[in-house]
Amino acid sequence: ASGRFQQEYVPSAHLSAACTCLAWAPPGGRPPPSKDGPQRKKRKSEVAEMDKQLDILAIGTAVGSVLLYSTVKGELQSKLVGGHDNKVNCVKWHQDNCFLYSCSDDKHIVEWNTQTCKVKCKWKGDNSSVTALCISPDGKMLLSAGRTIKLWDLETKEVYRHFTGHATSVSSLMFTTVKPMNENKPFDGITGLYFLSGAIHDRLLSVWYIRSDRKEKNAVMSFTVTDEPTYIDLTVSEVKEEPVKLAVVCRDGQLHLFEHILNGYCKKPLTSNCTIQIATPGDDGDSTPKPVPILAAAFCSDKQSVLLVYGNLLQPIIEKVSLNTSESHVCLIRDVQKALSLTTDVAVTKVKTPVVNSDAKVLVPGIPGHSTAVKTPSSGKEKKENKRKPGEIEESIEERLEALDIDVSKVKTPGGLPQTDSFAVLLVQGLESNDAEILNRVLNTRKENVVKNTVARMPVHAVIPLLHELTKRLQGNPYSASVMVRWLKSVLTLHASYLSTLPDLIPQLGMLYQLMESRVKTLQKLSRLHGRLFILVTQVAASEAVQDVTEVNQTAKLVYEDESSEEEGSDDEMIADKDSDENWDEDEEKEEQSDEQDMTVEKEINGDSDLEPENESEEE
């Protein structure tokens, strides 16, 4: 009620065996007033309401043991060991007796007797790790889930029903109704009930219906949220006409409220009636409001108001907010900084700054090149001295790094470009701030593996802004488009599964699709034109080569006269011999040349001539 910190418990082996899940024991063996079973997480509001009754807290650990801690005594009551040999994923108390159920990554479900602290029963729950449990309202059945969901009969430990479940491991299971909607048939305690499931990396919460036959295994309806659900609370529908109210806190810090009467099958995913966000006012100095993440939310007993837990995990702020569902989106303005800054100042004063001599080198822990300078008491004097001596040159960062004995070559990156892991960070920064310089620097990379790694490492929420940016650039000059297509290909291959889950994908990517359609439409015509031009060019080249062949001289090279005297004849023959020898050589050379030209012409006509690399790329 006051939002004050009450008590803290740190297990002795908290470093080697971290706490993984929590559950309150039902007070005095009676079920909690408004809930259908013990809660998954500790709720500070409930601690205040049921202070007299709530005492024992079951804590699952990463090594497989379960701790029972008494909040009234403020000490560990007992430790349950020997059940699991891997991380405990979920613990649930039975409403009526002192049994505790736990599931683990070792694929088993264990039923504990908390009075004797021994394993009552252990059975294999799934082929992969079992991640969530939930006990039915009458306490005779148990829901367990890894990826598929199973309903177990607790007496025989046999599977009563199978449900298809989710593609990823289920993180939460809870019953949404206590009585079946159809009141004509006799109620066996389970048939006709609805239950809800949420999974990691899944933006759809599924609702399942337990039938009398085994036919239907799929979800009857689903609720869609903006990000992976991290915390779910609901009001159980006890009467037929009463709607189920659902509060879902997502990883992105938003709270979605749903209100729906569960009455059979619904094909389309249902969207939230109201979305609540919290932001800072954005006054003093910083004008932009910053979002404040909501960590958890729970309905109050009147079902008309919600308890919000928001701010910092170390010091959360708890507030009661009454619901106004007429508006679809509510943004609450809260100044979290003032509440938090008071405590941080107190913490800072405990750190004593050492008095440092100006000649001494101070080595600061941290990443090379990102170390913060230690504030020394003498820094004020040094500044004044600097003003007095204008002749002195300030040390460069390189010199300072050398003084810190850090290899400067390691800090610098070739060509001034950042490495792949920082590319993703740079890209997100560029998209958020819309900084053209950063975006040009990142998006103009041509290395295939750098592009792939960057896209793989970027967070999911930046995918749509990146696609919008790429669309904008694709509309620009063709040179940049050839680079952008590589990015586009990586984004669509690596993030296809995320994109397919977006409800408003068609309007988001419509422009890009039209752009690609219009570009591809002309490809066929262009390739035909290219083919025709190629034939023309080769024919022109061939005809030119034919014209270039020199014509054979038809005039006689040698005239033989019979009537001349012997002396004259012998002289003529000598001269003719010389001439003819030379001429024959020339004729042979000419013939060889003309043969070679004919060969090239033939090659070109047959299309054997190698295409230029540019032409090839155009054809592709």
Side-chain angles (χ1 to χ4, degrees):
S2 62
R4 269 207 319 276
F5 178 62
Q6 274 196 325
Q7 63 170 285
E8 184 178 44
Y9 167 61
V10 182
S12 55
H14 69 107
L15 293 175
S16 59
C19 300
T20 52
C21 51
L22 299 160
W24 284 105
R30 293 187 311 281
S34 66
K35 301 290 177 223
D36 53 286
Q39 290 312 302
R40 207 169 130 250
K41 286 188 185 172
K42 178 162 139 182
R43 255 222 213 102
K44 295 197 169 141
S45 61
E46 289 184 2
V47 178
E49 285 170 21
M50 311 178 197
D51 209 10
K52 292 157 193 164
Q53 309 139 318
L54 280 179
D55 174 21
I56 305 292
L57 191 61
I59 304 168
T61 64
V63 290
S65 57
V66 179
L67 311 175
L68 299 181
Y69 173 71
S70 167
T71 50
V72 175
K73 295 176 189 166
E75 60 183 38
L76 189 67
Q77 188 167 303
S78 48
K79 189 175 180 182
L80 312 177
V81 287
H84 299 291
D85 47 21
N86 210 328
K87 184 179 99 170
V88 178
N89 289 319
C90 185
V91 282
K92 283 280 189 277
W93 289 88
H94 198 283
Q95 298 96 300
D96 308 326
N97 49 40
C98 54
F99 292 146
L100 176 74
Y101 295 90
S102 62
C103 63
S104 161
D105 279 355
D106 64 6
K107 308 174 188 177
H108 285 78
I109 301 170
V110 173
E111 184 178 26
W112 301 89
N113 185 338
T114 52
Q115 287 177 335
T116 60
C117 296
K118 288 194 174 123
V119 176
K120 183 170 180 280
C121 182
K122 178 178 176 178
W123 71 97
K124 189 173 178 181
D126 210 318
N127 291 330
S128 57
S129 56
V130 186
T131 52
L133 294 174
C134 181
I135 293 161
S136 66
D138 67 343
K140 290 178 184 171
M141 298 276 182
L142 173 77
L143 279 173
S144 78
R147 288 181 184 159
T148 56
I149 303 170
K150 292 177 183 176
L151 182 65
W152 301 85
D153 187 330
L154 282 179
E155 276 183 31
T156 58
K157 308 289 186 287
E158 286 174 356
V159 178
Y160 180 70
R161 290 281 180 276
H162 273 281
F163 301 94
T164 44
H166 295 256
T168 50
S169 46
V170 175
S171 56
S172 49
L173 281 173
M174 45 186 71
F175 276 91
T176 56
T177 49
V178 182
K179 296 190 186 95
M181 296 300 162
N182 187 355
E183 288 156 359
N184 307 337
K185 296 175 185 174
F187 180 45
D188 62 356
I190 194 75
T191 307
L193 296 190
Y194 289 90
F195 68 90
L196 178 88
S197 68
I200 58 167
H201 310 309
D202 193 343
R203 300 188 308 112
L204 288 178
L205 295 165
S206 301
V207 178
W208 312 81
Y209 180 59
I210 301 165
R211 298 171 184 275
S212 51
D213 54 7
R214 288 168 179 261
K215 282 177 193 167
E216 190 63 53
K217 292 182 179 180
N218 295 338
V220 287
M221 64 182 77
S222 55
F223 299 103
T224 174
V225 288
T226 50
D227 203 344
E228 172 190 330
T230 54
Y231 195 96
I232 302 171
D233 189 46
L234 50 84
T235 64
V236 179
S237 161
E238 293 174 9
V239 197
K240 188 177 179 181
E241 281 74 33
E242 187 188 4
V244 170
K245 287 186 178 178
L246 188 65
V248 184
V249 178
C250 295
R251 189 175 286 280
D252 58 8
Q254 295 186 42
L255 166 66
H256 298 277
L257 297 169
F258 298 87
E259 196 170 320
H260 188 73
I261 297 172
L262 301 175
N263 51 4
Y265 186 71
C266 179
K267 195 175 180 182
K268 277 178 82 174
L270 302 164
T271 50
S272 59
N273 298 28
C274 179
T275 302
I276 297 177
Q277 283 177 295
I278 300 179
T280 56
D283 306 332
D284 47 74
D286 194 11
S287 57
T288 52
K290 292 193 175 74
V292 178
I294 299 174
L295 307 171
F299 286 103
C300 301
S301 49
D302 63 350
K303 297 189 182 182
Q304 295 306 313
S305 48
V306 174
L307 271 171
L308 295 182
V309 181
Y310 60 90
N312 188 332
L313 274 168
L314 297 170
Q315 194 192 11
I317 299 163
I318 300 169
E319 186 185 335
K320 191 172 181 176
V321 178
S322 61
L323 297 179
N324 176 21
T325 46
S326 59
E327 289 180 41
S328 63
H329 197 282
V330 181
C331 186
L332 306 172
I333 305 296
R334 299 284 181 270
D335 198 353
V336 186
Q337 292 302 320
K338 284 178 186 168
L340 288 176
S341 58
L342 296 170
T343 52
T344 48
D345 290 346
V346 175
V348 170
T349 52
K350 291 178 187 171
V351 181
K352 289 176 183 169
T353 354
V355 178
V356 183
N357 184 3
S358 57
D359 301 333
K361 286 178 191 173
V362 183
L363 297 178
V364 183
I367 310 161
H370 290 269
S371 47
T372 51
V374 171
K375 288 179 183 172
T376 59
S378 59
S379 60
K381 292 174 193 170
E382 281 174 16
K383 278 181 188 170
K384 286 171 191 167
E385 283 170 18
N386 284 355
K387 284 178 188 171
R388 285 178 203 153
K389 297 178 189 174
E392 280 188 2
I393 305 161
E394 197 184 337
E395 278 189 337
S396 69
I397 291 177
E398 198 167 338
E399 286 165 355
R400 287 181 205 169
L401 291 177
E402 277 169 3
L404 289 171
D405 298 332
I406 292 164
D407 188 358
V408 186
S409 62
K410 285 180 190 169
V411 181
K412 279 187 176 178
T413 51
L417 273 175
Q419 299 300 318
T420 322
D421 49 359
S422 58
F423 254 91
V425 180
L426 267 179
L427 182 59
V428 174
Q429 283 175 355
L431 289 169
E432 281 174 0
S433 60
N434 213 352
D435 190 330
E437 195 180 335
I438 295 178
L439 287 170
N440 289 341
R441 208 163 146 194
V442 176
L443 294 175
N444 286 341
T445 32
R446 291 173 165 277
K447 290 181 183 170
E448 205 73 30
N449 59 339
V450 174
V451 172
K452 269 187 188 165
N453 289 343
T454 308
V455 172
R457 284 178 183 164
M458 66 184 279
V460 173
H461 64 78
V463 171
I464 289 290
L466 175 61
L467 282 173
H468 288 322
E469 182 63 33
L470 291 174
T471 310
K472 208 160 68 184
R473 283 161 185 260
L474 278 166
Q475 288 166 320
N477 64 333
Y479 172 73
S480 70
S482 64
V483 184
M484 295 311 133
V485 166
R486 296 178 190 192
W487 283 91
L488 196 61
K489 182 183 171 187
S490 300
V491 172
L492 293 176
T493 47
L494 290 167
H495 294 289
S497 53
Y498 164 71
L499 289 169
S500 61
T501 63
L502 293 175
D504 54 348
L505 183 68
I506 295 165
Q508 293 266 31
L509 297 189
M511 193 149 176
L512 178 65
Y513 182 69
Q514 284 169 352
L515 190 108
M516 287 160 79
E517 279 284 282
S518 62
R519 290 267 169 108
V520 174
K521 224 179 250 175
T522 53
L523 177 68
Q524 205 173 1
K525 293 177 185 173
L526 279 172
S527 52
R528 278 185 198 156
L529 177 66
H530 178 264
R532 286 173 186 172
L533 284 172
F534 177 67
I535 291 170
L536 275 172
V537 169
T538 47
Q539 283 177 346
V540 169
S543 61
E544 277 177 0
V546 171
Q547 284 170 9
D548 287 349
V549 178
T550 49
E551 290 182 15
V552 183
N553 189 8
Q554 298 294 335
T555 55
K557 294 278 167 65
L558 174 68
V559 179
Y560 180 67
E561 289 180 1
D562 213 5
E563 296 155 357
S564 61
S565 63
E566 287 179 359
E567 289 173 9
E568 279 179 339
S570 63
D571 287 346
D572 285 347
E573 274 174 28
M574 289 292 285
I575 295 161
D577 273 336
K578 280 182 186 174
D579 283 347
S580 62
D581 281 338
E582 287 165 11
N583 287 341
W584 278 119
D585 289 342
E586 281 174 23
D587 286 357
E588 278 171 8
E589 282 174 336
K590 280 182 182 175
E591 277 172 7
E592 280 172 12
Q593 281 177 356
S594 65
D595 280 351
E596 281 173 9
Q597 282 173 340
D598 286 343
M599 285 284 283
T600 54
V601 171
E602 276 177 4
K603 269 192 181 179
E604 284 182 346
I605 290 168
N606 295 339
D608 291 346
S609 64
D610 297 334
L611 285 173
E612 289 167 17
E614 292 171 7
N615 290 355
E616 280 185 353
S617 65
E618 280 174 14
E619 271 198 358
E620 284 172 11

